[in-house]
């Protein structure tokens, strides 16, 4: 337990330029702080986080023999670690530091009430001093880190992250729920703004993944359970029954020279035909299938939902004996030090915006369906045709912000960020491929923010695409010609627009998939108001999460294009490799401690702990609660609940909290 010292507190007030000093009378708060019990020095500085600012803390600790530090500045989320280091450099325990937020929670919201803001700053400083007087020395716990990582989701983000980790010498499990890696990027034809072929740049990376000795590829696999904590995650994987064995799996079963070699003979004889999901059912597949020729790994999969178990495929496979129609899901437990989530996105179900006729009118398609139709390896060999009659369209409309930037409660309020650019790309592609075609883009604004993106926008304008600024109100179909009547408003010319088109492409909003949300919850990662996974800090820690050791890459954190996805994946891989290379991590010492003499062994707290950190154990003939400190996140649930007051919450002890409440309620009168 911590050693008790007579409180000698130093208070430091930050101006943050005029961010704080513009709305709060710093001098007045500084003078007030000097009057508080235990305060021996009160100082101020323009920018406390700067080197001279931190130097003031270091010097004051030495000069005044301080036992505790209060900095009144910005949010602790921003600079608590900075001032902890300064406290440590000065020679006191870094957890004898308390921060009073007088910027985000004060000056920024009370900028027109200097008197009120100054009074509130005094309250915040007084409360922080009350706590700082009771702070104790705490010591972070060091735990070893398993030399392995997991990446969940094998789109371009997951592929890049796992290649980086593997190339840094870290054994990496790459877990993908579908039978192949590649994600959405493998469905794209060309990529903006350079217009290079998506498959040409992705396939070599996919092949590298398959070959890399440090990557343990787990396709058709999902995360079932996550236990443990940074450095020591124990993860249960569910390997879905694929019905087909890899050569390694066959060898393990004693089938010499067997296992799937991707020859496709089985698929040739299979009588069951289904829509190929990769082609959005615009092409068929069999019940035993691969989605496309570039799949990694090149292993077939049985779709047990449609398989009629006729056995023809088993016969066709012959001596390779790769097919096992009785295969069942299997489970495997792995241990990793860090994790990267890269679960990407799915399209918002745009049929919910009924006015645009998706799923009612065959010639209304999504951007991803367009990608497959224009792609040389797609269902039409790259000839863009109308789904209704196979004719080449001559007038094509692109509806931007379809379901994005939508505050009606049906769509998504956010911008999906890559649909302006891919719609420009789509317009270019049809102008290039179909002589005399007319492309109409219905837009709200064009967001061409990336490198060479604005230039790409000009290029498409020069190529003759027509831009109509306004939302499409309604689309109707002529049942005879199957043409589409598009009703919109041109807000620049301030007049209604009615155009008859052959084909309409909806740039649908994107959203996280339900499976991605399951993974998010398993890893204890929060989500932001818009549903995407929440980063630890939008500016200072965009790849991290509030769960130590878990990082984010790609669109699962929010819509972003391929360059930004790859950049974030590289960042996440770098961040995830640090604890592994260091070999140990320090855990913040904010965990619960059981005061065994007070514990009645009722066990009620055990099920309340959201992190499974508590267990009842037998000690000297008595049941008492035990905390696994490395698992405890210091959330305080057990501490707040325990009827016997048997739980000591480090850094948030009952006396500390009571002192804060007293300091607030009693004002300056304590
Ligand atoms: P994804 O590609 O979605 O990959 C996520 C992977 O995770 C998938 O393989 C998925 O199956 C897997 N997964 C999901 N949940 C789980 C789970 N629970 N367990 C295991 N695996 C899971 N960007 C450009 O820069 N240029 C372009 O030209 C371009 N064109 C586009 C055109 C269209 C029509 C669209 C819709 C997007 C376009 N984009 C373009 C954006 C591009 O698709 C994304 O930036 C990129 O695909 C994001 O990659 P990702 O790995 O984050 O996600
Ligand atoms: Fe601004 Fe915070 Fe730095 Fe002060 S410590 S200058 S409030 S960022
Ligand atoms: Fe694989 Fe056998 Fe089918 Fe060939 S016939 S693709 S080896 S499962
Ligand atoms: Fe197709 Fe199933 Fe028959 Fe094999 S057993 S050929 S997968 S229907
Ligand atoms: Fe709309 Fe463009 Fe944002 Fe997509 S990227 S939601 S089309 S503004
Ligand atoms: Fe019960 Fe409290 Fe002991 Fe938990 S710590 S078992 S709630 S007495
Ligand atoms: Fe569990 Fe929270 Fe108690 Fe820690 S403080 S043991 S995480 S309930």
């Amino acid at each position: 337990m911590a050693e008790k010292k007579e409180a000698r507190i130093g208070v430091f007030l930050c101006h943050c330029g005029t961010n704080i000093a513009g709305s709060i009378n710093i001098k007045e708060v500084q003078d007030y702080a000097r009057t508080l019990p235990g305060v021996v020095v009160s100082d101020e500085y323009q920018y406390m986080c700067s080197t001279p600012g931190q130097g003031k803390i270091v010097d004051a600790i030495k000069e005044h023999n301080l036992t505790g530090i209060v900095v009144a500045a910005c949010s602790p989320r921003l600079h608590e670690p900075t001032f902890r280091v300064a406290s440590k450099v000065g020679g006191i325990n870094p957890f004898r530091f308390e921060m009073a937020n007088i910027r985000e929670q004060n000056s920024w919201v009370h900028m027109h009430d200097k008197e009120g803001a100054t009074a509130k700053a005094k309250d915040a400083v007084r409360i922080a001093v009350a706590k700082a007087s009771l702070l104790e020395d705490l010591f972070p716990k060091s735990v070893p880190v398993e030399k392995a990582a997991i990446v969940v989701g094998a789109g371009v983000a997951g592929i890049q992250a796992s290649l980086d980790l593997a190339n840094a010498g870290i054994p990496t499990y790459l877990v993908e729920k579908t039978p192949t890696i590649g994600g959405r990027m493998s469905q794209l034809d060309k990529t903006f703004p350079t217009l290079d072929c998506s498959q040409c740049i992705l396939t070599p990376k996919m092949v590298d993944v398959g070959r890399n000795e440090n990557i343990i590829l787990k396709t058709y696999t999902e995360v079932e359970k996550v236990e443990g904590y940074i450095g020591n995650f124990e993860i249960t994987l569910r390997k879905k029954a694929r019905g087909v064995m890899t050569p390694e799996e066959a060898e393990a079963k004693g089938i010499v020279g067997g296992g799937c070699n991707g020859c496709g003979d089985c698929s040739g004889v299979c009588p069951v035909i289904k829509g190929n999901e990769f082609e959005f059912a615009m092409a068929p597949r069999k019940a035993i299938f691969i989605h496309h020729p570039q799949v990694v790994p090149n292993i077939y999969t049985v779709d047990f939902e449609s398989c009629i178990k006729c056995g023809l495929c088993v016969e066709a496979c012959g001596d390779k004996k790769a097919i096992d129609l009785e295969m069942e899901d299997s489970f495997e437990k792995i241990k990793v030090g860090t994790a990267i989530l890269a679960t990407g996105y799915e399209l918002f179900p745009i049929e919910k915006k009924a006015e645009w006729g998706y799923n009612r009118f065959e010639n209304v398609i999504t951007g991803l369906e367009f990608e497959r139709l224009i792609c040389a390896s797609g269902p039409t060999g790259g000839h863009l045709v109308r789904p209704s009659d196979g004719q080449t369209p001559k007038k094509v409309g692109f509806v931007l912000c379809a379901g994005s930037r939508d505050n009606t409660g049906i769509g998504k309020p956010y911008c999906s960020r890559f649909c302006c650019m891919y719609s420009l790309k789509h317009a270019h592609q049809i102008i290039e491929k179909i002589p005399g075609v007319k492309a109409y883009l219905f837009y709200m604004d064009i967001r061409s923010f990336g490198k060479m993106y604005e230039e790409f926008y000009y290029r498409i304008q020069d190529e003759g695409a027509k831009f109509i600024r306004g939302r499409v109100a309604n689309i109707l179909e002529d049942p005879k010609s199957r043409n589409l009547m598009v009703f919109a408003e041109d807000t620049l010319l301030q007049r209604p627009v009615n155009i008859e088109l052959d084909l309409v492409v909806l740039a649908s909003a994107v959203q996280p998939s339900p499976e991605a949300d399951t993974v998010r919850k398993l890893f204890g990662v929060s989500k932001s108001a818009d549903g995407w996974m929440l980063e630890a800090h939008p500016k200072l820690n965009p790849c991290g999460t509030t769960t130590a050791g878990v990082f984010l890459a790609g669109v699962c954190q929010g819509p972003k294009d391929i360059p930004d996805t790859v950049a974030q994946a590289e960042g996440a891989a770098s961040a995830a490799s640090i604890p592994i290379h260091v070999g140990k991590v320090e855990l913040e010492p904010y965990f619960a401690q059981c005061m065994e003499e007070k514990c009645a062994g009722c066990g009620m707290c055990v099920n309340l702990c959201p992190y499974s950190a508590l267990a009842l154990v037998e000690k000297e003939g008595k049941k008492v609660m035990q905390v696994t400190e490395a698992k405890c996140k210091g959330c305080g649930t057990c501490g707040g609940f325990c009827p016997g007051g048997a739980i000591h919450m480090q850094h948030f002890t009952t006396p500390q909290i009571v002192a804060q409440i007293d300091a607030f309620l009693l004002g300056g009168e304590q």
Side-chain angles (χ1 to χ4, degrees), residues 182-191 196-206 278 292-295 372 375 377:
R184 294 291 175 203
M185 190 175 166
S186 61
Q187 290 179 301
L188 307 181
D189 178 33
K190 292 180 174 177
T191 54
D196 35 12
C197 149
S198 189
Q199 284 282 3
C200 309
I201 49 179
L202 184 65
T203 310
K205 279 191 187 282
M206 289 167 63
F278 185 80
H292 58 89
Q294 283 89 17
V295 292
R372 296 316 300 152
C375 183
S377 64

Side-chain angles (χ1 to χ4, degrees), residues 149-201:
I150 185 172
V151 177
V152 186
V156 63
I159 288 174
Q160 185 64 49
S162 45
L163 281 171
D164 284 4
L165 286 165
N167 291 334
I170 297 168
T172 303
Y173 295 89
L174 177 56
V175 175
E176 166 58 46
K177 67 175 181 181
T178 68
T180 177
I181 63 173
R184 294 291 175 203
M185 190 175 166
S186 61
Q187 290 179 301
L188 307 181
D189 178 33
K190 292 180 174 177
T191 54
F192 61 75
T194 43
L195 296 174
D196 35 12
C197 149
S198 189
Q199 284 282 3
C200 309
I201 49 179

Side-chain angles (χ1 to χ4, degrees), residues 219-375:
T219 51
Y220 216 42
T221 299
E222 286 181 24
V223 175
E224 183 77 8
K225 195 172 175 193
V226 179
E227 294 164 282
Y229 45 89
I230 180 171
N232 298 277
F233 289 110
E234 283 182 359
I235 297 176
T236 309
L237 301 177
R238 172 194 286 269
K239 187 163 179 267
K240 295 182 275 186
R242 190 174 199 138
V244 178
M245 284 181 279
T246 61
E248 296 75 34
E249 287 164 342
E251 198 179 322
K253 287 206 158 186
I255 307 166
V256 182
C260 184
N261 62 11
C263 68
D265 293 349
C266 50
S267 204
V269 298
C270 177
V272 176
I273 296 176
K274 298 285 294 177
N276 184 343
E277 300 81 356
F278 185 80
E279 306 291 3
F280 302 101
M282 294 184 290
R285 68 157 168 84
K286 297 294 186 69
I288 185 163
F289 68 97
I290 50 171
H291 273 134
H292 58 89
Q294 283 89 17
V295 292
V296 173
N298 189 15
I299 304 288
Y300 276 63
T301 303
V302 178
D303 165 12
F304 281 109
E305 281 190 7
S306 58
C307 166
I308 55 170
K309 299 221 172 166
C310 66
L312 289 172
C313 54
V314 179
E315 229 172 88
C317 191
D319 288 347
K320 286 153 293 181
K321 292 185 181 162
I323 301 170
D324 173 3
L325 293 174
E326 302 310 316
M327 195 183 270
E328 288 184 355
D329 290 3
S330 57
F331 297 88
E332 181 188 0
K333 209 167 191 171
I334 60 169
K335 203 166 174 196
V336 296
T338 54
I340 295 178
L341 308 187
T343 46
Y345 67 96
E346 63 173 22
L347 292 187
F348 166 75
I350 199 63
E351 58 276 15
K352 285 192 182 171
K353 298 289 289 182
E355 63 270 33
W356 294 324
Y358 184 71
N359 272 359
R360 282 192 294 133
F361 308 142
E362 263 188 282
N363 295 328
V364 177
I365 62 173
T366 66
L368 278 175
E369 287 165 342
F370 179 95
E371 293 282 344
R372 296 316 300 152
L373 285 172
I374 202 88
C375 183

Side-chain angles (χ1 to χ4, degrees), residues 454-466:
E454 189 70 4
E455 292 84 339
F456 188 71
Y457 174 25
Y458 292 140
R459 174 176 167 187
I460 310 312
Q461 284 176 321
D462 291 344
E463 286 175 354
K466 303 265 175 288

Side-chain angles (χ1 to χ4, degrees), residues 13 34 61 114 148 212 220 254 283 286 292 368 476 491 498 517 529 585 626 636 664 669:
L13 292 129
R34 280 201 193 97
I61 292 172
K114 194 161 184 171
N212 196 306
Y220 216 42
K286 297 294 186 69
H292 58 89
L368 278 175
L476 296 176
T491 54
N498 305 337
D517 213 47
V585 281
Q626 193 176 59
F664 174 62
E669 296 158 28

